[in-house]
C-alpha cells in the first residue's frame, strides 16, 4: 500500500530543547516508520519576524539539523528540505495569494498575537505567513501535517486554499489533515511554556553538567518552605519531568507520595531527576557530537533532500500554472521550437 505523505517543519530559530524533543521530534521519528516524511527547514518563515539578523540563520539551520538527526530523523528514510533553495515555495504562495482575502488573513490568531507582541507595523510577509505555509504543504501534496495546537489555524487555511483551488480549477490538491501529537506539553524550568526567548529551556546541546545545574534551579512548589511541609505534585514541573523521563514508575510514585507527605526534600527529587534526564539524553548527545563534527555531511544531507524535493515542487508548480491559465514552461519552449503558436493567441 502506498504510504501517506507527511510534511511538517520548524523555523530554524535556535537550538532545539527537550520540549521540542518530547513534543515533536520523537513523534516525527516514529512517523518515519509508517509514512513518507518531508521535514522542512522553514528559513523563509524566519524572516517574517526577524529579517534584521541575517548572520544567525545559517548557523541556526545547521544546529537545528544536528538536533533533528540526533533525535532520530533519518535522512535515508525521510526527505529534509531547505525551503529557501526551492523558489517554487514562494511561487506557489504567490498563486495562492490570489485565492485568499486580506480580511481572512487578518483574522488568523497567530497573526493577531504577533502584531500585539511585536509592537510594530506588520509586514506583508507576516500577513501572508500562513499562505506560504499552505504552499509548503500543498507543493508536496501532503496528506498529513503533524503540528502543535497553535498551528491548527494555519492548517485550516491550507485546507481552504486547497478546496478553493480544486473547486475553481479541478482537483489538484489533497486537503491536508493536521495530526496533533498526544505528547504532554513539557513546562519550562520556571513552569511557564518552554521557550527559547524565556531562558527557561534545557537544550539538546547542553552538557550533562549544564543540565544538572538547570534541574537543580527548577521551580517547584512555591507554597512549600521546609522539606517537612506537605508538597504539591500537580502543577510542579519537577514531577512533570519525572513522569516523562524517569523509566522507574514505582520510584516516581514513591517520590510523589513522600513529597505530598512532607517526607522528601526538593533536592533529592531534583538530583534523581538530573540523573534520569542525563541518562535519557546521553545517546542523543553522543550522536549530536558526532554530527556537529561533520558539518560537510550535514550540508550534504540537506542538499540531497532539497534536490529530491525540487523535482516534486517543479512538477506541482507547473500543474498549478497550467490550471490557472498560465503557460506551461515545457510546452512554451516546444511551441516556439516547433514554430507552432496555434491555440495560443486566438
Ligand atoms: N509555522 C510552523 C511553526 O512555526 C513552521 C512551518 C513552516 C510548518 N511551514 C510548515 C509546519 C509547513 C508544518 C508545515 O512551527
Amino acid at each position: 500500500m502506498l504510504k501517506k505523505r507527511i510534511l511538517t517543519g520548524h523555523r530554524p530559530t535556535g537550538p532545539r530543547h527537550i520540549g521540542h524533543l518530547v513534543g515533536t521530534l520523537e513523534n516525527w521519528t516514529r512517523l518515519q516508520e509508517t509514512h513518507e516524511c518531508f521535514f522542512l527547514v522553514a528559513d523563509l518563515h524566519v524572516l517574517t519576524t526577524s529579517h534584521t539578523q541575517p548572520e544567525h540563520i545559517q548557523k541556526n539551520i545547521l544546529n537545528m539539523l544536528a538536533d533533528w538527526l540526533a533525535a532520530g530523523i533519518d535522512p535515508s528514510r525521510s526527505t529534509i528540505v531547505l525551503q529557501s533553495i526551492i523558489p517554487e515555495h514562494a511561487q506557489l504562495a504567490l498563486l495562492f495569494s490570489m485565492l485568499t482575502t486580506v480580511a481572512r488573513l487578518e483574522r488568523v490568531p497567530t497573526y493577531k498575537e504577533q502584531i500585539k507582541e511585536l509592537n510594530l507595523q506588520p509586514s506583508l510577509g507576516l500577513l501572508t505567513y500562513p499562505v506560504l505555509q499552505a504552499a509548503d504543504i500543498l507543493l508536496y501534496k501532503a496528506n498529513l501535517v503533524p503540528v502543535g495546537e497553535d498551528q491548527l489555524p494555519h492548517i485550516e487555511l491550507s485546507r481552504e486554499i486547497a478546496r478553493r483551488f480544486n473547486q475553481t480549477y479541478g482537483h489538484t490538491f489533497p486537503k491536508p489533515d493536521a495530526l496533533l501529537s498526544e505528547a504532554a506539553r513539557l513546562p519550562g524550568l520556571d513552569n511557564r511554556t518552554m521557550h527559547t526567548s524565556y531562558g527557561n529551556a534545557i537544550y539538546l546541546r547542553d552538557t550533562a553538567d549544564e543540565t544538572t545545574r538547570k534541574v537543580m534551579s527548577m521551580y517547584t512548589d512555591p507554597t512549600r518552605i521546609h522539606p517537612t511541609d506537605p508538597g504539591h505534585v500537580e502543577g510542579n514541573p519537577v514531577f512533570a519531568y519525572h513522569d516523562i523521563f524517569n523509566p522507574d514508575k514505582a520510584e516516581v510514585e514513591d517520590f510523589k507520595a513522600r513529597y505530598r507527605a512532607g517526607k522528601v526534600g526538593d533536592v533529592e527529587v531534583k538530583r534523581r531527576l538530573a540523573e534520569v534526564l542525563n541518562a535519557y539524553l546521553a545517546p542523543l548527545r553522543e550522536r549530536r557530537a558526532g554530527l556537529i563534527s561533520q558539518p560537510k555531511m550535514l550540508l550534504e544531507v540537506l542538499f540531497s533532500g532539497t534536490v529530491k524535493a525540487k523535482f516534486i515542487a517543479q512538477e506541482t508548480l507547473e500543474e498549478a500554472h497550467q490550471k490557472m491559465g498560465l503557460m506551461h514552461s515545457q510546452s512554451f519552449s516546444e511551441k516556439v521550437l516547433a514554430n507552432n503558436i496555434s491555440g495560443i493567441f486566438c
Side-chain angles (χ1 to χ4, degrees):
M1 208 184 71
L2 215 60
K3 284 184 181 169
K4 282 198 172 170
R5 185 174 284 178
I6 276 180
L7 183 132
T8 186
H10 277 171
R11 286 171 299 145
T13 47
R16 301 297 93 180
H17 50 60
I18 58 173
H20 293 123
L21 178 67
V22 298
T24 60
L25 296 176
E26 290 183 351
N27 190 34
W28 293 4
T29 299
R30 275 191 301 274
L31 288 166
Q32 296 179 118
E33 321 248 334
T34 44
H35 294 77
E36 184 194 9
C37 293
F38 287 72
F39 298 115
L40 183 72
V41 178
D43 56 347
L44 290 175
H45 277 112
V46 174
L47 299 178
T48 61
T49 49
S50 56
H51 66 282
T52 52
Q53 291 137 351
E55 64 281 8
H56 293 306
I57 300 180
Q58 304 202 13
K59 194 179 71 205
N60 285 343
I61 289 172
L62 279 199
N63 268 306
M64 186 172 87
L65 187 59
D67 288 339
W68 280 10
L69 301 191
I73 302 304
D74 176 2
S76 70
R77 282 193 290 181
S78 302
T79 309
I80 300 172
V81 186
L82 183 55
Q83 185 189 35
S84 62
I85 293 298
I86 303 184
E88 282 81 356
H89 285 260
Q91 291 175 295
L92 189 61
L94 181 74
L95 298 182
F96 286 168
S97 75
M98 313 302 168
L99 314 183
T100 315
T101 66
V102 173
R104 173 68 181 84
L105 293 176
E106 283 172 338
R107 285 197 301 271
V108 172
T110 45
Y111 174 75
K112 290 198 285 192
E113 276 160 35
Q114 286 278 352
I115 50 178
K116 235 192 271 163
E117 213 169 284
L118 291 175
N119 202 16
L120 45 79
Q121 283 296 318
S123 68
L124 183 57
L126 185 67
L127 180 68
T128 58
Y129 182 118
V131 179
L132 180 58
Q133 186 164 351
D136 296 339
I137 298 165
L138 300 181
L139 196 51
Y140 302 98
K141 302 190 176 180
N143 310 103
L144 292 169
V145 189
V147 281
E149 212 162 338
D150 62 313
Q151 295 292 310
L152 289 181
H154 297 173
I155 311 306
E156 187 48 42
L157 183 77
S158 307
R159 294 168 61 82
E160 281 174 36
I161 289 176
R163 190 185 323 124
R164 201 159 303 134
F165 193 102
N166 293 346
Q167 266 169 5
T168 313
Y169 307 109
H171 186 79
T172 310
F173 298 107
K175 258 198 283 168
D177 283 308
L179 194 62
L180 274 181
S181 113
E182 286 140 38
R185 213 190 171 87
L186 199 67
L189 298 167
D190 57 1
N191 211 26
R192 292 189 292 169
T193 308
M194 190 177 283
H195 204 292
T196 312
S197 62
Y198 294 168
N200 65 354
I202 295 174
Y203 296 103
L204 303 186
R205 65 164 190 207
D206 285 349
T207 63
D209 283 349
E210 281 165 336
T211 302
T212 302
R213 224 172 306 128
K214 287 183 175 180
V215 168
M216 297 314 288
S217 74
M218 269 176 88
Y219 169 102
T220 53
D221 178 359
T223 65
R224 193 176 192 234
I225 318 279
H226 307 290
T228 48
D229 297 343
H232 294 92
V233 164
E234 283 70 35
N236 185 333
V238 174
F239 287 98
Y241 284 28
H242 263 294
D243 279 335
I244 293 176
F245 298 108
N246 191 339
D248 185 347
K249 298 301 162 212
E251 181 182 55
V252 176
E253 287 315 307
D254 177 58
F255 272 146
K256 287 182 180 173
R258 284 162 59 208
Y259 199 85
R260 288 194 180 102
K263 293 213 166 84
V264 64
D266 281 319
V267 172
E268 186 183 338
V269 184
K270 285 179 173 177
R271 275 222 181 96
R272 184 69 189 130
L273 174 61
E275 276 170 19
V276 296
L277 185 55
N278 280 324
Y280 190 96
L281 295 173
L284 188 152
R285 286 186 181 133
E286 205 177 310
R287 285 194 295 273
R288 193 182 190 287
L291 290 159
I292 225 58
S293 69
Q294 308 170 71
K296 182 161 177 283
M297 192 273 282
L298 286 174
L299 276 178
E300 278 166 6
V301 160
L302 200 54
F303 184 78
S304 63
T306 303
V307 168
K308 187 176 151 202
K310 169 79 182 177
F311 285 103
I312 304 170
Q314 232 166 347
E315 213 171 290
T316 308
L317 188 76
E318 282 287 357
E319 189 183 353
H321 258 211
Q322 222 179 357
K323 288 193 168 160
M324 290 182 85
L326 301 172
M327 193 80 79
H328 186 291
S329 67
Q330 203 183 333
S331 70
F332 186 34
S333 49
E334 275 165 11
K335 282 191 162 110
V336 172
L337 287 174
N339 200 15
N340 170 15
I341 53 163
S342 65
I344 298 187
F345 302 116
C346 51

